[in-house]
Amino acid sequence: MKKELRTQFLTRQHMVSKDFEIYYYSDTTLLKVENHAHNYYEFYFFLEGDVSIQIGSDIYPVQFGDIMLIPPHIYHHSIIHSSKVPYRRFIFWISQEYCNYLAQISPDYVYLMHHVQATHTYLYHNDRVSFNAVQSKALRLIEEMQSDKFGKEAQIPLSVNDLILHLNRMIYERLHPARQHEGLALYQNISQYIEEHLNEDLSLDRLAREFYVSKYHIAHIFKDNIGISVHQYITKKRLDQCREAILGNMSITEIYQLFGFRDYSSFYRAFKKEYGISPKDYRDMNSLILNH
């Protein structure tokens, strides 16, 4: 059995590690944390609970899928309204020094940090699909940090950077919708369109009509760019979203219909072929990880 990913909550509000720390908390006995500030960035990914977050003088009720970023030296604390349901969340801490290091690689890594500090916009609501992608990356990072796998020390910073960049891209694209398609090649435009319409008909004929090019040209550019057919690409994208939705506790019946599979049998065959495990077994395996 995989190691448990949940961490017992402590009231410690300082980093032990130099660069980053991440925790998954699921608490029924709730410890009070006084108003406090850090000298590092805190990402907060909310899953469940009857709580609000106070940042400065403002109080933010939170719901499933909410992401908050609290910059250094900003006072904040949780307000617990009820303990009838577990309080579940991810906490992701990143030092200012590590952010500076990433900014030297690319300013894209710290777009969100700068945006939050300039606008004082700390809370970002997300739909279930978007948040499941974040949750999946957070879980993979925690699992890697707790593992004894070969290459662990090389993989961890890659996973951290991937999560940080994903968060920056997600918010940037939300704030700049008109620029998402500017200057993109046809392949990139079609790829983007596919990701935004996974629950719809995505036949070559449909794509050809949408982009005013022949379906043979579309098939050709996909083969040239990624070496697989359009159909294979769409299936992989749909399966990836289904897998992340399973982590978000959606019903399997709802999932395969939401992401464009005609029936359960075709979804089952494709999922098992891609991941080597049935959808139900994958859900049960991850439920054990989160609930033990």
Side-chain angles (χ1 to χ4, degrees):
M1 180 184 296
K2 295 185 178 181
K3 293 182 178 179
E4 179 181 342
L5 303 186
R6 181 175 58 185
T7 303
Q8 181 178 357
F9 179 69
L10 300 174
T11 56
R12 171 174 66 86
Q13 294 298 323
H14 63 274
M15 289 180 63
V16 175
S17 300
K18 176 177 176 289
D19 295 325
F20 47 77
E21 297 178 15
I22 187 167
Y23 302 100
Y24 165 63
Y25 294 126
S26 179
D27 302 313
T28 51
T29 301
L30 304 174
L31 300 176
K32 183 177 180 181
V33 176
E34 300 296 334
N35 201 32
H36 63 282
H38 311 131
N39 63 355
Y40 48 82
Y41 293 92
E42 177 175 279
F43 278 97
Y44 172 95
F45 310 142
F46 181 75
L47 295 165
E48 183 182 17
D50 188 4
V51 303
S52 298
I53 306 298
Q54 181 167 347
I55 302 178
S57 59
D58 296 323
I59 297 176
Y60 300 86
V62 287
Q63 61 191 25
F64 175 85
D66 281 352
I67 292 175
M68 303 189 84
L69 174 55
I70 304 168
H73 314 303
I74 300 295
Y75 278 86
H76 61 282
H77 68 283
S78 301
I79 301 171
I80 310 298
H81 302 299
S82 169
S83 58
K84 291 181 180 179
V85 293
Y87 179 22
R88 299 196 302 122
R89 70 277 189 205
F90 294 95
I91 302 296
F92 183 32
W93 290 341
I94 313 166
S95 72
Q96 295 183 74
E97 292 76 15
Y98 194 73
C99 286
N100 292 337
Y101 159 73
L102 290 177
Q104 293 176 4
I105 300 173
S106 170
D108 294 347
Y109 278 112
V110 293
Y111 164 81
L112 181 55
M113 289 72 162
H114 291 167
H115 175 75
V116 167
Q117 290 181 307
T119 65
H120 307 290
T121 305
Y122 305 114
L123 174 63
Y124 298 88
H125 300 299
N126 296 280
D127 59 44
R128 183 174 287 274
V129 172
S130 298
F131 186 70
N132 282 341
V134 174
Q135 182 181 193
S136 177
K137 290 179 183 294
L139 285 169
R140 289 176 202 162
L141 172 57
I142 295 172
E143 183 178 13
E144 189 69 37
M145 293 176 77
Q146 294 187 6
S147 77
D148 297 318
K149 295 179 181 177
F150 173 79
K152 165 185 173 179
E153 297 306 320
Q155 181 61 49
I156 288 173
L158 294 176
S159 298
V160 167
N161 296 359
D162 177 56
L163 174 57
I164 294 172
L165 186 58
H166 179 83
L167 293 165
N168 278 275
R169 174 180 288 176
M170 182 174 72
I171 301 304
Y172 178 87
E173 292 185 346
R174 188 176 304 170
L175 297 175
H176 300 81
R179 299 184 60 182
Q180 288 186 40
H181 300 284
E182 291 179 4
L184 295 179
L186 178 60
Y187 159 72
Q188 294 172 308
N189 276 318
I190 295 174
S191 300
Q192 184 80 21
Y193 182 86
I194 287 170
E195 292 199 32
E196 293 171 355
H197 298 82
L198 286 173
N199 62 329
E200 301 175 16
D201 166 43
L202 289 173
S203 65
L204 269 174
D205 288 331
R206 162 82 179 273
L207 295 174
R209 289 194 301 270
E210 289 290 336
F211 290 91
Y212 302 100
V213 295
S214 76
K215 60 184 180 182
Y216 305 105
H217 182 56
I218 293 175
H220 179 71
I221 64 168
F222 267 78
K223 279 287 187 181
D224 282 353
N225 278 277
I226 54 175
I228 60 176
S229 69
V230 181
H231 174 72
Q232 289 172 313
Y233 177 83
I234 293 169
T235 300
K236 285 180 179 293
K237 285 292 182 180
R238 283 174 168 161
L239 288 171
D240 189 50
Q241 292 296 326
C242 289
R243 179 177 52 78
E244 290 171 353
I246 289 172
L247 291 175
N249 293 321
M250 290 177 64
S251 75
I252 290 175
T253 300
E254 183 181 2
I255 288 168
Y256 81 79
Q257 294 173 340
L258 179 62
F259 293 110
F261 286 93
R262 295 188 307 275
D263 51 55
Y264 178 74
S265 61
S266 60
F267 166 62
Y268 177 93
R269 289 193 301 271
F271 193 97
K272 191 163 186 180
K273 180 179 179 181
E274 183 75 10
Y275 301 115
I277 188 172
S278 74
K280 182 180 182 301
D281 288 344
Y282 184 80
R283 182 193 61 192
D284 293 344
M285 178 183 70
N286 283 281
S287 294
L288 285 173
I289 291 171
L290 288 176
N291 295 325
H292 281 72

